Structure formats: C-alpha cells, structure tokens
Amino acid sequence: MSAGGAGGLGARLRARLFSQRTVVLLPPYIWLLLFFLAPFVIVLKLSISEAAIAMPPYLPILDWADGLIPDFTGTFYNFSFLFTDDLYVVAYLNSIKIALVSTIACLLIGYPMAYGIAKAPGTWRNALLMLVILPFWTSFLIRVYAWIGILKNNGILNNLLIGLGIIDQPLPMLHNDFSVYVGIVYSYLPFMILPLYANLAKMDESLLEAAADLGAKPWKTFLAVTLPLSVPGIVAGSMLVFIPAVGEFVIPELLGGPDTLMIGRVLWNEFFHNRDWPVASAVAIAMLLFLVVPIVIFQHYQGKTDEAAS
Amino acid sequence: MSDTAEKRPGPHKPSGWAVPGGDPYISIQNVTKRFGEFVAVDNVSLDIYRSELFSLLGASGCGKTTLLRMLAGLEEPTEGRILLDGQDMVGVPPYERPVNMMFQSYALFPHMTVAQNVAFGLKQEGMGKGEVEERVEQMLGLVQLGRFARRKPHQLSGGQRQRVALARALAKRPKLLLLDEPLAALDKKLRESTQFELMNIQEELGVTFIVVTHDQEEAMTLSTRIAVMNEGVIQQLGTPSEVYEYPRTRYVADFIGSVNLFEGTVSGTGAEGMRITAPEAGIDIHVDAGQTDARAGQSVAVAIRPEKIAIAKQDDKPSQGENVIQGIVDEIAYQGSLSIYQVRLADGKLVRVTTPNLTRTAERPIDWEEPVWLSWGRHAGVVLTS
Ligand SMILES: Nc1ncnc2c1ncn2[C@@H]1O[C@H](COP(=O)(O)OP(=O)(O)O)[C@@H](O)[C@H]1O
Ligand SMILES: [Mg+2]
C-alpha cells in the first residue's frame, strides 16, 4: 500500500475516533467504567478469594512470590458453597417470588393509574404526574418507616378499622410477608407508572378512533389495540420494579418478619454479621447473573420494537 | 345492499349527475361545531344521496375533517342534527354506525398484519372465521395487495398503506364510506390511477362515498357533486361542471381552477345582456343576460376562465365589436398539452390565457413582450356579486 493510502487510513481512523458520535458517547462510557465496571471487578475478585480472619478479611487471589508469572490462589469454593446450604437457594427463590408478586401488583395498580393520567385533560396531567413523583422528595427510608406507624397493631389502619367497627381485634399487618408486599408495591409503584404513562401518552388517538369506527366497543378497543401497543411500557415498568425488588434489603429489614427470607438480607448478614466478604460477594455475583437474564430479554425486546418503529 | 344497486345512477359521469328524487341518504341539518369559541363548522346543511361520490372541497383548516368526523360519530355536533337513512345519528357512538372511515393518517394498527387489519372490523361483527378469511382475500384482491397479506404496515410503502386503509374501511361493506384526503400522500401518477380505481370500486360496490380533499382537480375528477367549503361554511354545492362554469362567489371561482377576476360596476342591463364597466380591463365587459339579478350601479366582479379567452397577434384583430382588449405578453409557460400566457393590460393588470397546443409547431408563435389582442364571447363571463 502506498504511503498516501496509509495516511488516508490513519486520517480515517482518527476521524472515526474523534467523530462527534464518539465525543458524545465517551462521557457515559467513562461513567459506566468507573462506577459500574470497576466495583463489579472488585466484587468479582472478592467472590473468588479465600476468607480469612484478617484485615481485610480475605486473601489475595494472585501470588507474585516466584517470578513474573503469578500463581492463581483464588477459589470457586464460595460459589459451590451457595448450593451446599439451602438457605441461599431458598432465599433466592423467595426473593423472586416476592419480587414477582409485587411486580404483578404494581402492574395491576399502576396500569389504571397511568391510563387515567394519560387520558386526563392537559392541565390535570402535570398535576397528577407531580403527585406520582412527589414521594421522591422525602427519604425512601423515612417513607418505609412511616408504614410501621400505619400497619402496627395500634397503628393508624388497625385503629381506624376498629373505630369503624369492622374488626374488634387488630389484624397482624406488620412484620410479615404482607407488610413486605405493601412496602415494595408502595415504593416501586412510580417506577411502574412512569414508563407506562410515557407509553400510553404517546398512543396515537386515531388508532383508537379507527377501532371504534370499525365497530369495536371501548373494552374491545382496549384489549385489541391499547393493551398490545403498551407492551413495551409494561415490560419497561416491570423490569424497573422486578430487578431492584429482588435485591431489596431495606423493606424486608424494616417491615418484614424474622422469617422473611430475602437475598438482600442474607447478603447483609454475610457481610456485616459473619464478616464473610467472599461469600457475600459470591451471593451478589450470583444475584447479578440471575438478573442479567431478564435484562437481556428486555434489551432484546426493546431492540425489536425500536426496529419496528423506525 | 341489493336495492341500492338498482338505484345507482349507472356509469359515472361527473357532469351528467342529477339529484334524484326521494329521500336523501344523509341529511346534515343546520350543523354547527364549536371548539370553545372557535367555530369549525358553521350552520351547514347538506343532503347526500345513495351511491353518490360526494366531495367536500376546501382549503386546509376549513372544517372538512370536522364535518366528516361528525358523520363518523367521532365528534358530536354542537348544534343541529345528522340523519342517516332517516335515522337521527346524534348520540349514536361510532361503533354502532353503519359508517366506516378512511383516516387521513390511515391509522393502521401497527401491531397487526395487513390481513389482520382488514379483518379487524369483520371480527367485531362476529363473522365466522372462514367467511372473514374469504372477505379479507377478496378485499386485498380488490386493492391488489394479496401478496402483502402477512406484512406489517411499517413494511409497506405509503401507497400500499393507503390501499390497506381503503380495504379495511371497505371490508365491512359499509353503506357510507368516509375518506379523509385519501390520496394526499401519493405522488401525481399514482394519485391519478388511484382516483380511477376509487371510482371503479365505488361503482362496483355501490357504496356512498364522501371524500374530503383540498385538491380541486381530484374533486372534479372523482365526484358526482362537490361542496366547496370556506371557514366552516359551504360556499357552493353542485356538480363539478356547475361549480367550475358557474361559480357563485369570488372564493369559489378562485379556488376551483384558475380565473381572471375583473372588478367593476353594472352599467347596463337588458334582455340581450349585461354591461359591466371594468376599469381594470379598460373596457365595458358584456355578458349573457339572466345570470344574476344585479342592478345597474351595483359593484360586481366578472370571472373569466383562461381557456375561454382567445389570444391573437397584433395584425390579426378580432372582428367582434365587444370584449376585445389589448395587452403585452409578459410570460409564457409551455406545458406540453397547452400553453399559458400571462398578458399585461394597459393599467398593469395581468390576465391569464391558456390555449391548447393543437399542432406541433405554430406557424407564427407569439413571443415575449409582443402586443396581442385578447377577446372572449358574451357567454364566457360570469358575474359574481359576492
Ligand atoms: N379538537 C379540536 N379542538 C380545537 N380545534 C379544532 C379541533 N379539531 C379541529 N379544530 C380546528 O377546526 C378547524 C377545522 O379543522 P379541520 O376540520 O381539521 O380542517 P380541514 O380538515 O378542513 O383541514 C381548524 O382550524 C382546527 O384547528
Ligand atoms: Mg383535514
């Protein structure tokens, strides 16, 4: 190849590297590298280390003692350990169950709310959206804590029901699975509503009119047109609820009972009570791998709908 | 359906259509639609008959779509009522009206295939599966999209989507089909061929069509009758040749085709004709009698279509005594089948004249800046009082 050709190639390479696209994409990539990939690598390294009673409480995974090529002194024992004690498997399964039920509850409550907001007259819309976002202005911890006051035996709800004469003994609503569900659904509902609202608000009104014009009654129009077209919103909202709910720690800790087993709590215990950082890290990595599957499905779906839209 | 077929006016002839006796199929009575303070449709009354191909023609924003949407039931009139086959439609929801609409945006369901789109309305009727399939196939055959049955709308071209929308609207065999700017998205060639296709379909199925358009050529080509709308009001109602040859207002004359308007005052009326003094033309314009009841002294406008004016070279002065003026050629546009001349009169007014190019090369072509004679007969001018 001639020198000119090589120069051309170099110029093209440079042009590509410093193209506008690259410049725009660089900051988010650096951000992800620093704050996502680096912690992940650290946790991954921890998860294959051996625990030790030391400071920090684990051994290095590489031994540089003899020469240039280090020996691998790490272990995968922490991962196999997760399967030897059924605590972990049960906690995983229970977390998934709680997250799944909560997601479905959020969907059932959030869909009509998002729909109502999207259909509300223009001036109302922003006010209603504001109300959905409003809870974020107070601390998440305080809001979850407030539920204790509502749900406890002589709390607001029990007192109200007794006062109205509906019950005469307080209902056990706190420190059980029920209160965990209440807490998760309450906390994550906005994450379901917002993507659903975004989807429903941009729904082409003329499609609904066309369905009515072709003889579909309102509920048929909803089932045949609105619902299928809002699937991307349902998927996005469900992911935003399900993924963090699986690893939720604060809500089961504050509202759950002693036997509310969730993986977030197990992780906390391993880390802070048992000081077994490697096993705690293995729990975290396993959870991550587990959550990657729905994320990939989501991404795949998103890609397909983007393709269809363009 | 079968009895409408007998009453059909036969082969489509735009100029030969006459209002049949009997009850109108659609009767729009004093319908007004307001959006807040804004009056979109203003006291419109209109009768449309079975198997008509009726056009609502007007500039963008004049209220055509709003009127159509009231017929479909997607909008309720603020005042007035709409009768369909003698039955009052006010308050009847769209899904209970025997009316289908083809939307301006097509409004195809993006998550359904072409066949599913067409089948949608049929399924709502509770039609059996086999019958639905048969009808869908028939409809897609009609719009020549059989091969595309399993595609999604986003995999089709604009013209193909428009056909799907048409097939979907026709599938239920509605008694009344509303088409909102059905051909606006198509290029000229495809638009022309689709216009004829629409006319054929309309004749084949005997459905009553109401077509909304802002394209006067399209309205002229398609329609049995045209209602010209402006700012929510129907300016004129008639067959294409009526609205073209006998416009009643300056707006209609100007909107349909091109026209030369001369403002003037009536200076004489008589049995043989009317004389209008038109300073812009520099002469008295003579027109046929009996067009209007305008009196002497009233200010009017005379509308003359460009193709009704003859153009002649300087040494070829027309022998007739009236409606002859002189001017200078300002602009010539050669359009193949005809040539358009823009002629400047003494006081600067520009007059448009079109002549068909009957032979390949004219012996003595008229040139730019050449002085010419313009002339027209008494029958050419139309007197407009409003
Ligand atoms: N839902 C609505 N709210 C307020 N104004 C409207 C609404 N629909 C139509 N209009 C107004 O009514 C007028 C007529 O609209 P439209 O019937 O769509 O016109 P066209 O179809 O003749 O272009 C326009 O000025 C439009 O802005
Ligand atoms: Mg319109």
Side-chain angles (χ1 to χ4, degrees), chain B residues 215-255:
Chain B
D215 179 343
Q216 47 103 8
E217 259 177 65
E218 186 171 299
M220 304 275 282
T221 313
L222 286 174
S223 329
T224 50
R225 284 191 302 156
I226 298 174
V228 184
M229 281 184 80
N230 185 32
E231 295 185 347
V233 176
I234 292 189
Q235 293 259 331
Q236 188 166 355
L237 176 64
T239 63
S241 60
E242 276 167 11
V243 291
Y244 185 78
E245 301 293 357
Y246 303 100
R248 277 210 297 269
T249 66
R250 289 176 178 85
Y251 181 84
V252 173
D254 198 38
F255 192 76

Side-chain angles (χ1 to χ4, degrees), chain A residues 106-122:
Chain A
C106 277
L107 185 60
L108 293 179
I109 300 168
Y111 199 104
M113 286 176 76
Y115 190 85
I117 297 171
K119 294 280 163 188

Side-chain angles (χ1 to χ4, degrees), chain B residues 1-9 25 50-52 84-85 98-100 125 127 135 138-139 142 169-177 201-209:
Chain B
M1 293 299 294
S2 59
D3 65 340
T4 59
E6 286 157 26
K7 284 189 206 155
R8 278 169 52 200
Y25 184 53
R50 254 177 233 281
S51 304
E52 264 203 87
L84 187 85
D85 215 359
V99 171
N100 284 135
E125 278 179 353
M127 188 186 265
R135 181 77 68 85
Q138 183 195 346
M139 284 298 143
L142 191 70
L170 278 168
K172 292 186 80 173
R173 305 234 168 102
K175 294 191 215 154
L176 173 62
L177 188 66
I201 288 170
Q202 195 265 345
E203 276 168 35
E204 213 169 294
L205 303 179
V207 183
T208 308
F209 275 34

Side-chain angles (χ1 to χ4, degrees), chain B residues 59-66 104 180-181 212 214:
Chain B
S60 178
C62 72
K64 309 176 298 282
T65 297
T66 306
Q104 194 164 359
D180 194 354
E181 311 253 4
V212 155
H214 65 267

Side-chain angles (χ1 to χ4, degrees), chain A residues 204 206-218 220-221 224-226 228-229 307-310, chain B residues 69 72 74 94-96 99-101 103 105 107-112 117 120-121 124 154 168-169 172:
Chain A
D204 184 354
S206 70
L207 295 179
L208 310 181
E209 291 181 344
D213 184 71
L214 290 165
K217 294 196 170 62
K220 278 293 298 242
T221 300
V225 181
T226 310
L229 287 178
E307 211 175 286
S310 62
Chain B
R69 287 169 59 83
L74 300 170
Y95 49 87
E96 279 169 12
V99 171
N100 284 135
M101 176 151 161
F103 288 71
S105 60
L108 297 177
F109 304 125
H111 57 300
M112 298 183 195
N117 263 282
F120 185 87
Q124 308 308 317
H154 68 91
R168 187 179 70 175
K172 292 186 80 173

